C-alpha cells in the first residue's frame, strides 16, 4: 500500500490518475510519444487543453462570461500580475490579510505600480490568526480597483467557510483559491477573478488556473508586457507562450477523476467528513492535541495541531512517518503538525492518522 501523503503541496494525487499517466507516459493515445514531447501547437495538445477547460467549466459551473487560462508562475506570480492588469487608472487596492499567503500578496501587489494597497482587515492584529475578520468589518472603498483575499490559509489553518458577500456596490473580488478550489461548491459569479496554483487540489506544480470575468479584461493596459497581460493570453487562446503542457494534461485527468467521483458536490461531503473526523480526534483528546483556531474558521483542507511540546511533536512526526503517514511537519514558522487533506486524500488516510494519534496519546499522554 502506498503511504498517505499529507503534504501541503505539491500534494497527493489520485492513484488512478497516476496510473493513467504512467500508462500514457511513452505513448499518449496511440501517438507513439509522450505528452511531455508534444508540441503545444499540435492538434493533439489543443484537444487536451480544450477538454481540460470544458471539464473545469462543468465542475465549477463557470458562467459563459468568464474566461479560463492555465498559466505559469504559481499563485505567487499572480499576486503582482493581478495588480498590473486590473488596477490601471485606480489609486487603491483593498487587501485582506488573514495569514501567511495573504500577507505576502499584500506586500507584493503594489511593487510595480503607484497604486496604494490598503489594508482593509488584518486577522493577525484582530485575532492573532486564530479567527477570520468577517466581511462586515472590512474597510472597503467602492472606488478601489478590487478587493483581494485568500479564502484558505494553508500555513495558519484558516478558511472562510461562509464565503464573504460584499454587496452590489463593492469593487470586484479577486480571490486566491489555490488550496481549496474544487473542494466545495462555490458561485463563480460572486468573484471578478479566481486564481489557483494547481499543486494542491488540481495536479502537479507548474500550472495556475485563472478565471476572469470578461468585462475586467478591458482594464488590461497595453503598458503591461504581453507575457504578464491577461488579455494577450486570452487573444492567443492561452498560447501566447508555451504553456505548462504536462501539468495541464495531469489537471485534465484530475478533472475527469472528479467527475467519476460525483463532482464537486460529492467531494464537499467527503471533505467535510474527513475534516470533522480529524477535528473530533483533536477536540476529543482531552487537551493532549490542540488546535488554536476558532471552530467557525477552521480549515477543512489544512488541519494544524500540536501537543504543546516541541520534542513530543518531533517524535510524533518521526513515528507517523514510520507508519506511512508522511509530510505531517507544520510550517517552519509555526511548528507542530499540519495534515493537508485535499480531494485526493481518501477518508481511509484520515482514519489511519486518527488511529495513530490515539495510539501515540496512549503511549505518551
Amino acid at each position: 500500500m502506498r503511504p498517505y501523503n499529507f503534504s501541503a503541496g505539491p500534494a497527493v494525487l489520485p492513484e488512478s490518475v497516476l496510473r493513467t499517466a504512467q500508462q500514457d507516459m511513452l505513448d499518449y493515445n496511440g501517438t507513439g510519444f509522450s505528452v511531455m514531447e508534444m508540441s503545444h501547437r499540435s492538434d493533439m495538445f489543443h484537444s487536451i487543453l480544450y477538454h481540460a477547460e470544458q471539464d473545469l467549466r462543468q465542475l465549477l459551473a463557470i458562467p459563459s462570461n468568464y474566461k479560463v487560462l492555465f498559466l505559469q508562475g504559481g499563485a505567487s506570480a499572480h499576486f503582482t500580475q493581478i495588480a498590473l492588469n486590473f488596477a490601471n487608472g485606480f489609486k487603491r487596492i483593498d487587501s485582506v490579510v488573514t495569514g501567511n499567503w495573504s500577507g505576502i500578496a499584500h506586500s507584493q501587489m503594489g511593487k510595480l505600480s503607484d497604486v496604494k494597497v490598503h489594508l482593509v482587515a488584518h486577522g493577525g492584529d484582530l485575532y492573532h490568526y486564530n479567527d477570520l475578520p468577517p466581511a462586515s468589518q472590512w474597510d472597503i472603498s467602492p472606488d478601489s480597483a478590487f478587493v483581494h483575499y485568500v479564502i484558505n490559509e494553508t500555513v495558519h489553518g484558516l478558511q472562510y467557510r461562509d464565503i464573504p458577500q460584499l454587496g452590489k456596490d463593492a469593487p470586484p473580488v479577486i480571490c486566491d483559491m489555490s488550496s481549496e478550489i474544487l473542494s466545495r461548491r462555490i458561485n463563480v459569479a460572486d468573484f471578478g477573478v479566481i486564481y489557483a496554483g494547481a499543486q494542491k487540489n488540481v495536479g502537479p506544480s507548474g500550472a495556475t488556473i485563472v478565471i476572469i470575468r470578461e468585462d475586467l479584461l478591458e482594464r488590461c493596459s497595453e503598458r503591461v508586457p504581453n507575457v504578464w497581460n491577461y488579455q494577450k493570453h486570452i487573444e492567443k487562446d492561452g498560447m501566447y507562450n508555451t504553456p505548462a503542457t504536462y501539468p495541464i494534461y495531469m489537471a485534465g485527468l484530475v478533472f475527469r477523476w472528479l467527475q467519476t467521483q460525483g463532482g464537486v458536490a460529492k467531494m464537499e461531503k467527503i471533505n467535510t467528513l474527513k475534516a470533522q473526523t480529524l477535528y473530533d480526534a483533536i477536540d476529543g483528546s482531552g487537551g493532549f492535541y490542540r488546535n488554536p483556531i476558532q471552530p467557525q474558521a477552521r480549515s477543512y483542507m489544512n488541519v494544524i495541531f500540536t501537543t504543546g511540546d516541541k520534542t513530543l511533536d518531533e517524535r510524533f512526526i518521526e513515528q507517523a512517518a514510520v507508519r506511512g503517514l508522511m509530510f505531517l511537519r507544520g510550517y517552519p514558522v509555526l511548528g507542530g503538525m499540519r495534515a493537508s487533506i485535499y480531494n485526493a486524500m481518501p477518508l481511509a488516510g484520515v482514519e489511519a492518522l486518527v488511529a495513530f494519534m490515539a495510539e501515540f496519546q496512549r503511549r505518551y499522554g
Side-chain angles (χ1 to χ4, degrees):
M1 187 179 71
R2 299 178 72 225
Y4 290 115
N5 176 4
F6 291 95
S7 171
V12 59
L13 286 165
E15 184 172 346
S16 62
V17 166
L18 293 174
R19 293 194 180 280
T20 299
Q22 181 184 46
Q23 180 179 331
D24 289 348
M25 180 56 70
L26 295 178
D27 182 1
Y28 171 75
N29 204 24
T31 61
F33 51 84
S34 171
V35 174
M36 289 187 182
E37 306 169 290
M38 188 181 294
S39 168
H40 66 293
R41 301 196 183 281
S42 67
D43 290 342
M44 289 172 287
F45 181 72
H46 277 240
S47 177
I48 290 172
L49 180 61
Y50 172 81
H51 285 102
E53 178 181 335
Q54 295 310 308
D55 289 342
L56 178 64
R57 284 184 174 276
Q58 185 271 327
L59 286 164
L60 288 178
I62 299 174
S64 60
N65 65 323
Y66 282 73
K67 297 294 187 181
V68 175
L69 291 168
F70 294 87
L71 300 179
Q72 299 183 47
S76 295
H78 297 272
F79 294 159
T80 302
Q81 200 164 338
I82 56 175
L84 288 176
N85 281 269
F86 302 124
N88 293 297
F90 291 84
K91 296 181 179 179
R92 169 171 156 169
I93 291 169
D94 283 343
S95 171
V96 182
V97 173
T98 51
N100 182 78
W101 293 110
S102 54
I104 295 173
H106 179 84
S107 71
Q108 296 299 306
M109 282 189 285
K111 280 196 169 182
L112 293 180
S113 69
D114 295 329
V115 66
K116 176 184 177 182
V117 184
H118 177 69
L119 185 63
V120 300
H122 196 296
D125 291 344
L126 289 172
Y127 303 111
H128 309 290
Y129 293 138
N130 291 337
D131 203 350
L132 293 165
S136 60
Q137 295 180 3
W138 296 3
D139 178 28
I140 294 170
S141 168
D143 297 323
S144 292
F146 56 82
V147 180
H148 178 272
Y149 75 99
V150 175
I151 199 165
N152 182 79
E153 289 280 3
T154 61
V155 172
H156 288 89
L158 295 150
Q159 184 179 36
Y160 276 104
R161 298 297 309 151
D162 294 323
I163 295 175
Q165 301 295 318
L166 303 186
K168 295 181 180 180
D169 296 330
V173 174
I174 297 183
C175 185
D176 178 355
M177 286 196 180
S178 294
S179 50
E180 76 146 64
I181 193 168
L182 294 167
S183 70
R184 60 167 167 162
R185 291 164 293 177
I186 60 167
N187 180 13
V188 173
D190 287 341
F191 303 90
V193 179
I194 293 169
Y195 65 99
Q199 68 275 13
K200 301 177 187 296
N201 261 323
V202 175
S205 58
T208 308
I209 295 168
V210 187
I211 303 169
I212 307 171
R213 201 175 69 211
E214 282 183 335
D215 63 289
L216 294 176
L217 291 168
E218 298 173 1
R219 299 186 184 184
C220 299
S221 168
E222 288 289 336
R223 295 178 58 193
V224 178
N226 288 359
V227 75
W228 295 332
N229 191 311
Y230 293 125
Q231 178 62 44
K232 298 301 181 184
H233 283 280
I234 293 292
E235 290 172 2
K236 296 292 185 179
D237 296 322
M239 296 285 177
Y240 174 78
N241 60 343
T242 306
T245 54
Y246 198 76
I248 292 170
Y249 154 74
M250 290 292 290
L253 294 182
V254 172
F255 298 155
R256 292 291 174 90
W257 175 80
L258 282 168
Q259 290 172 331
T260 67
Q261 302 306 300
V264 173
K266 183 63 178 293
M267 292 310 304
E268 182 175 4
K269 292 181 180 179
I270 296 170
N271 288 330
T272 299
L273 176 58
K274 289 188 301 188
Q276 289 176 341
T277 299
L278 187 46
Y279 282 120
D280 284 348
I282 294 168
D283 294 341
S285 70
F288 183 80
Y289 299 110
R290 309 168 194 176
N291 173 278
I293 309 303
Q294 291 299 311
Q296 71 277 4
R298 285 174 163 179
S299 172
Y300 279 22
M301 293 285 98
N302 310 96
V303 179
I304 64 171
F305 60 101
T306 180
T307 65
D309 181 322
K310 292 182 179 180
T311 301
L312 200 56
D313 287 349
E314 189 64 29
R315 188 173 297 168
F316 180 99
I317 294 162
E318 292 173 355
Q319 294 187 13
V322 172
R323 297 284 290 271
L325 306 169
M326 307 299 294
F327 305 118
L328 283 164
R329 190 181 305 280
Y331 198 75
V333 174
L334 294 184
M337 285 75 75
R338 172 174 56 172
S340 295
I341 50 176
Y342 303 124
N343 282 345
M345 172 58 66
L347 176 60
V350 174
E351 290 173 338
L353 173 58
V354 166
F356 172 74
M357 291 168 66
E359 178 185 320
F360 188 85
Q361 182 177 355
R362 286 195 296 270
R363 190 179 305 134
Y364 298 104

